[in-house]
Amino acid sequence: EEEEEEEDQETKKSKEKTGGNEAEPLPGSHGGRHYDLILGSDLVYNEVGVYMLPRVLRANCQPHTRVLYCHTLGRFEMYDVDFLQEMEKVGFVGREVWESEDKNTLAAQADEAEHRFETVFPTMRMTVFEFVLR
């Protein structure tokens, strides 16, 4: 009961942040059609995205849908953890399927050349998550 009350408060806070909007299916999913595969990359920039993206994804998924989401961990302070928790709340299970360790990528080469992000984002790394509905 206490958990439900806490979740209700979180939902109220999130709805305040999003103007009370809830996610709706994307245009291609109308008429009962859903997607088999959804791809996304670096779509979480603020608290609204943390709350809404999982709901948009959920609104467009069926049990067989696979979501591959490329995300730069460590780019924004707590959004990584919050986003993954929200994905779980709406019914997804996720796992990392790829993690950037290759220093030969274009992004790594650009960062190495300029060294401008090393102090701001010392642990920033790219990863790909696979999400499916429970």
Side-chain angles (χ1 to χ4, degrees):
E1 195 174 298
E2 206 172 286
E3 280 182 28
E4 285 178 24
E5 196 172 297
E6 187 177 303
E7 190 171 314
D8 286 342
Q9 289 175 354
E10 285 180 31
T11 302
K12 285 178 189 173
K13 285 181 194 174
S14 294
K15 283 186 177 183
E16 287 171 13
K17 292 174 193 167
T18 62
N21 296 321
E22 284 299 315
E24 294 182 15
L26 297 171
S29 62
H30 290 284
R33 293 180 301 171
H34 285 78
Y35 298 94
D36 295 323
L37 176 66
I38 298 175
L39 301 174
S41 177
D42 292 312
L43 298 170
V44 175
Y45 298 95
N46 56 34
E47 292 175 3
V48 174
V50 165
Y51 178 80
M52 290 301 292
L53 181 59
R55 283 150 184 83
V56 168
L57 292 171
R58 178 64 184 96
N60 290 282
C61 288
Q62 289 186 329
H64 70 276
T65 305
R66 184 175 170 207
V67 177
L68 292 177
Y69 179 64
C70 182
H71 185 79
T72 306
L73 293 168
R75 188 171 53 157
F76 297 107
E77 202 166 303
M78 285 300 294
Y79 294 157
D80 301 334
V81 173
D82 295 344
F83 170 70
L84 294 172
Q85 287 174 343
E86 288 297 319
M87 288 294 282
E88 220 173 84
K89 278 184 193 175
V90 299
F92 285 102
V93 223
R95 66 186 180 102
E96 277 188 66
V97 293
W98 181 83
E99 177 183 348
S100 163
E101 291 181 18
D102 185 6
K103 295 290 182 190
N104 293 318
T105 64
L106 287 176
Q109 289 172 6
D111 283 350
E112 254 180 53
E114 296 183 25
H115 299 289
R116 65 179 179 198
F117 295 117
E118 286 179 6
T119 56
V120 180
F121 304 114
T123 59
M124 191 170 68
R125 68 180 172 86
M126 291 191 63
T127 188
V128 175
F129 290 101
E130 175 185 45
F131 293 102
V132 294
L133 291 172
R134 283 186 226 129

